[in-house]
């Protein structure tokens, strides 16, 4: 067995304490003898949610030797609220201990730079591997097998149950509902995400008429269907006979589903049930193309448009042709306007169509922005929001107004837009005519969507597990302005030359396969663009010399890295290959005497 670098693991410390441990505080000493996988995550991050799903099989298979420890490391102010972390752990069915680290103490001790990051600690308390981004489950599984053999032989592996203690279940008809639509008969259809089902409610928004789905996570069609954390819903326009009445974004299954309301029959419309990865097709027969965490859907320009949160794009589904394709976005994460095929989004999560059908409004959650797409010109515009790390609760002129991770949008009768400003627990309003942002209501617990009902608006209060009906006020509520930047510290770098190194070591038993060309790719850009004088663009090398402007004092370096590794065994006729990928948004502060090198770990050790 090859020797590996070992660094003593820092202690796990967080002011919020421990969740899923029955009230017990844990230290690294409590995990001695176990293989620990520390998962640095934050619940706003779609890539972090993907990794939670990637780890479920490993967690189950090695439950007597491996302990996964979630280290919750917030980006947004709301994510530093302890109750919000408690809710997120329940919402996403996290079945392992979680350390709530609101001040990023452990994040800094482990020199983490990206959400998500996985750190493997051996049974003797040493860090032996670090992986940033998605697609590393196979590599970690292989490493776990090696560590089990090594430490069994040494007598340092301790088998037994995890310290995980399940929390009390959430009671009620709804559990973390996502979005809702009003049905023609006046009732509501709600995506009951936490119960993996759809619920039809009466006009009062409370009485349950029926449930579609048995509450178990799965991908099953027919009259006894199963879903996996469904979110967005869209009614089929009147007059279209498609054999289904509602389109559902079945988020964690990575598919679109069609529901026939007459009998609750469900069928899969688009997606394969597997997550889209770089290099996968981006257009073609709908049932043959992979999707990635579709979060919302809307009928726009005679098609179903999809907020594809998992790849920071908008896609469209053509029910007549039975095809899907990318409609806007590049997969790069950020806020860039312009032609649809050049624009950048960041986890788009809510869609709504203007009354005249000319605009598709988009809640772009990770940039805390309200965006829109023109039907005529297919260009993307920003109405509110400036970038990945600026957020808050500020009303007034749109150019300086702030939101915090909005998940939903609804068009109001006067043409303005209601925004489910999720992490501000508020309902906000943007008026295109005046260019002003105001607050309609506060004290809504993580609102994720809203539905118009006559002169009222029914808000999906996801973290209160209910629908809440509000009277639309004639004048908006005003709140004291609050502006925030992420608690994540900026990296101090020197102006001028900066060496960027993305570190990648192929997993044990695998190698970079160059038979058909480069197996790595590095894309670099910046906000503002003027920050980078040289080094922007794409290339295959994972190291690059950048030149930073002396005139810009701070900004964000956007770094996207991909590496493909394949089985390193000539006897294997068809070697298995895996894609490792991560996008970093690195806040930087230009400081004389700052660092001249920026190392980012994709997989391996610095």
């Amino acid at each position: 067995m090859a020797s590996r670098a070992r660094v003593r693991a820092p202690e796990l410390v967080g002011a919020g304490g421990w969740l899923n441990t029955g009230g017990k505080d844990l230290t690294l000493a409590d995990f001695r003898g176990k293989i620990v996988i520390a998962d640095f995550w934050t619940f706003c991050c779609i890539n972090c949610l993907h990794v939670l799903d990637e780890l479920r099989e490993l967690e189950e298979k090695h439950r007597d030797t491996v302990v996964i420890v979630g280290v919750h490391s917030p980006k947004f102010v709301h994510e530093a609220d302890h109750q919000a972390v408690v809710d997120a752990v329940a919402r996403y069915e996290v079945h392992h201990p979680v350390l709530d680290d609101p001040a990023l103490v452990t994040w800094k001790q482990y020199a983490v730079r990206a959400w998500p990051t996985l750190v493997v600690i051996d049974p003797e308390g040493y860090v032996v591997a670090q992986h940033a981004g998605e697609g590393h489950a196979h590599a970690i599984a292989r490493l776990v097998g090696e560590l089990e053999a090594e430490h069994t032989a040494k007598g340092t592996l301790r088998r037994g149950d995890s310290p995980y203690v399940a929390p009390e279940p959430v009671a009620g008809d709804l559990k973390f509902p996502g979005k809702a639509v009003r049905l023609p008969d006046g009732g509501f259809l709600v995506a009951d995400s936490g119960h993996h089902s759809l619920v039809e409610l009466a006009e009062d928004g409370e009485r349950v008429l029926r449930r579609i789905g048995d509450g178990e996570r799965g991908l099953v069609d027919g009259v006894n269907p199963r879903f996996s954390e469904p979110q967005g819903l869209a009614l089929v326009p009147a007059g279209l006979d498609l054999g289904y009445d509602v389109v559902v974004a079945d988020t964690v299954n990575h598919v679109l589903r069609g529901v026939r309301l007459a009998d609750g029959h469900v069928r899969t419309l688009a997606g394969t049930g597997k997550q889209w990865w770089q290099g996968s097709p981006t257009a073609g027969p709908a049932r043959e193309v992979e999707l990635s965490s579709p979060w919302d859907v809307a009928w726009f320009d005679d098609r179903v448009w999809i907020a594809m949160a998992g790849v920071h794009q908008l896609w469209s589904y053509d029910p007549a042709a039975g095809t899907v394709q990318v409609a806007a976005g590049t997969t790069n994460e950020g806020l860039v306007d312009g032609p649809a095929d050049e624009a950048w989004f960041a986890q788009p999560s809510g869609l709504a169509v203007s009354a005249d059908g000319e605009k598709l409004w988009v809640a772009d959650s990770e940039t805390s922005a309200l965006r829109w797409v023109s039907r005529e010109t297919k260009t993307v515009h920003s109405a509110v929001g400036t970038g990945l790390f600026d957020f808050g609760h500020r009303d007034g002129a749109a150019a300086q107004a702030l939101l915090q991770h909005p998940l939903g949008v609804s068009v109001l009768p006067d043409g303005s837009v209601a925004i489910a400003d999720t992490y501000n627990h508020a309902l906000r309003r943007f008026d295109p005519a005046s260019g002003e942002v105001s607050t309609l209501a506060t004290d809504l617990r993580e609102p994720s969507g809203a539905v118009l009902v006559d002169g009222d608006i029914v808000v999906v209060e996801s973290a209160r597990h209910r629908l809440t009906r509000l009277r639309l006020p004639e004048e908006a509520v005003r709140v004291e302005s609050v502006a925030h930047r992420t608690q994540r510290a900026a990296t101090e770098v020197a102006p001028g030359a900066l060496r960027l190194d993305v570190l990648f070591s192929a997993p044990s038993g695998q190698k970079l396969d160059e038979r058909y060309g480069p197996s790595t790719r590095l894309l670099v850009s910046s906000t503002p663009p003027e920050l980078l004088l040289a080094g922007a663009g794409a290339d295959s090398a994972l190291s690059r010399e950048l030149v930073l402007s002396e005139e810009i004092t701070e900004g964000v370096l956007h770094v996207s890295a991909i590496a493909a590794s394949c089985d390193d065994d000539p006897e294997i006729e068809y070697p298995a290959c895996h894609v490792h990928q991560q996008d970093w948004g690195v806040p930087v502060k230009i400081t004389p005497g700052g660092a001249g090198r920026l190392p980012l770990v994709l997989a391996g050790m610095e």
Side-chain angles (χ1 to χ4, degrees):
M1 182 179 300
S3 62
R4 60 176 66 90
R6 300 201 310 168
V7 178
R8 176 64 72 180
E11 188 55 81
L12 301 173
V13 180
W18 288 87
L19 307 177
N20 285 354
T21 63
K24 180 181 178 181
D25 289 333
L26 302 176
T27 67
L28 274 177
D30 295 303
F31 301 114
R32 191 59 54 85
K34 295 283 193 178
I35 300 164
V36 176
I37 301 172
D39 177 13
F40 290 83
W41 70 299
T42 188
F43 63 78
C44 72
C45 161
I46 191 67
N47 310 93
C48 299
L49 304 185
H50 290 166
V51 167
L52 284 176
D53 289 324
E54 285 181 10
L55 293 176
R56 292 186 198 278
E57 181 179 350
L58 185 146
E59 189 170 26
E60 179 61 29
K61 183 177 180 180
H62 298 274
R63 62 189 311 164
D64 67 332
T65 59
V66 171
V67 177
I68 296 175
V69 175
V71 183
H72 189 267
S73 312
K75 170 186 174 180
F76 290 99
V77 168
H78 170 60
E79 293 174 305
D81 173 43
H82 182 70
Q83 184 56 50
V85 181
V86 172
D87 290 341
V89 168
R91 179 194 296 270
Y92 298 117
E93 299 180 358
V94 179
H95 293 164
H96 50 251
V98 174
L99 175 66
D100 180 11
D101 182 20
L104 302 180
V105 173
T106 297
W107 164 287
K108 295 170 185 174
Q109 287 294 312
Y110 279 79
V112 174
R113 292 183 182 273
W115 296 278
T117 291
L118 299 172
V119 175
V120 182
I121 303 171
D122 74 10
E124 295 178 287
Y126 288 90
V127 174
V128 294
Q130 182 172 325
H131 302 266
E134 302 179 52
H136 302 294
H138 71 285
I140 292 175
R142 191 172 195 125
L143 176 57
V144 164
E146 293 177 358
L147 290 172
E148 286 177 339
E150 176 184 339
H151 289 275
T152 296
K154 292 175 66 175
T156 50
L157 185 70
R158 176 170 57 88
R159 296 181 180 270
D161 291 336
S162 158
Y164 167 72
V165 177
E168 291 295 319
V170 175
D173 294 323
L174 301 178
K175 180 181 178 183
F176 299 109
K179 300 185 188 296
V181 292
R182 194 180 188 198
L183 298 174
D185 64 2
F188 300 90
L189 188 66
V190 182
D192 191 9
S193 307
H195 287 139
H196 310 296
S197 59
L198 310 179
V199 173
E200 184 177 349
L201 300 179
E203 286 189 73
D204 62 7
E206 297 181 8
R207 183 165 56 92
V208 175
L209 301 179
R210 63 169 165 169
R211 185 175 292 274
I212 301 173
D214 65 6
E216 294 294 322
R217 188 190 296 269
L219 178 52
V220 179
D221 285 343
V223 293
N224 296 301
R226 286 185 171 176
F227 300 86
S228 188
E229 299 180 33
Q231 289 286 342
L233 305 168
L235 290 174
V236 172
L240 286 183
D241 184 10
L242 300 177
Y244 51 91
D245 307 291
V246 179
V247 178
V248 182
D250 194 4
T251 304
V252 178
N253 276 328
H254 308 295
V255 296
L256 298 189
R257 316 288 290 279
V259 180
R260 189 168 61 212
L261 293 175
D263 58 2
H265 183 275
V266 174
R267 68 178 181 181
T268 300
L269 305 176
T272 67
K274 295 182 179 179
Q275 183 185 340
W276 186 94
W277 285 93
Q278 289 286 351
S280 300
T282 56
R287 291 294 304 274
E288 299 175 16
V289 176
E290 295 163 352
L291 310 181
S292 182
S293 296
W295 207 276
D296 201 8
V297 282
W299 287 87
F300 177 63
D301 199 20
D302 298 323
R303 299 185 179 190
V304 179
W305 281 55
I306 310 162
M308 202 72 77
V311 287
H312 317 299
Q313 290 179 311
L314 304 180
W315 286 40
S316 67
Y317 164 62
D318 184 344
T323 57
V324 293
Q325 64 181 31
V326 175
T330 65
T331 76
N332 294 319
E333 184 180 13
L335 192 152
V336 176
D337 291 337
D341 61 351
E342 299 176 7
W344 291 21
F345 294 91
Q347 214 167 300
S349 301
L351 302 174
V353 180
S354 62
D356 61 7
E358 291 300 313
K359 290 181 179 179
L360 179 69
W361 293 99
V362 182
D364 201 27
S365 62
E366 279 294 292
T367 53
S368 298
L370 175 66
R371 320 279 295 279
W372 58 276
V373 181
S374 165
R375 185 192 66 81
E376 181 179 1
T377 64
K378 298 298 186 293
T379 53
V380 178
H381 308 261
S382 294
V384 183
T386 58
L388 284 167
F389 300 108
D390 295 300
F391 52 88
H393 193 155
R394 179 191 288 155
D395 288 338
Q400 57 85 51
L402 294 173
L403 310 171
Q404 187 179 182
H405 198 79
L407 290 180
V409 281
S410 305
V411 175
L412 299 177
D414 64 356
S416 63
V417 182
I419 307 160
D421 193 7
T422 308
Y423 287 4
N424 279 326
H425 308 300
L427 189 68
R428 311 287 292 284
R429 173 179 177 263
F430 168 68
D431 182 0
S434 66
E436 293 284 314
V437 175
S438 57
T439 299
L440 297 174
T442 57
D443 192 31
L444 299 167
R445 189 71 183 172
E446 292 191 12
S448 55
V451 183
L452 288 175
V453 180
D454 303 323
D456 297 341
I457 191 164
V458 175
V459 180
V460 182
E461 280 198 89
S462 190
R464 283 199 177 114
H465 318 291
R466 71 187 188 191
L467 304 189
T468 299
R469 190 163 180 148
L470 304 172
R471 177 69 62 183
L472 282 171
E474 293 184 8
E475 294 188 8
V477 177
R478 300 293 295 191
V479 298
E480 183 178 352
S481 296
V482 180
H484 300 292
R485 284 185 63 84
T486 178
Q487 291 190 47
R488 175 183 173 184
T491 299
E492 293 191 357
V493 295
L498 176 68
R499 175 75 177 182
L500 172 65
D501 290 321
V502 174
L503 307 175
F504 177 78
S505 299
S508 176
Q510 295 201 328
K511 66 177 181 179
L512 292 175
D513 189 350
E514 308 285 350
R515 290 176 299 171
Y516 306 106
S519 57
T520 58
R521 180 174 181 267
L522 180 65
L523 176 67
V524 181
S525 62
S526 67
T527 303
E530 296 78 18
L531 173 62
L532 267 180
L533 298 180
D539 200 350
S540 58
L542 292 181
S543 293
R544 188 177 303 177
E545 294 291 340
L546 310 181
V547 178
L548 305 183
S549 171
E550 297 183 4
E551 306 300 321
I552 307 295
T553 58
E554 60 181 19
V556 179
L557 289 176
H558 302 281
V559 181
S560 177
I562 299 173
S565 62
C566 301
D567 291 335
D568 186 14
D569 186 343
E571 299 300 318
I572 300 177
E573 184 176 1
Y574 300 106
C577 296
H578 302 273
V579 176
H580 315 255
Q581 65 181 53
Q582 172 62 12
D583 295 331
W584 290 268
V586 183
V588 293
K589 184 176 181 179
I590 312 304
T591 306
R597 176 175 177 264
L598 177 62
L600 300 174
V601 177
L602 178 59
M605 295 282 288
E606 164 69 331

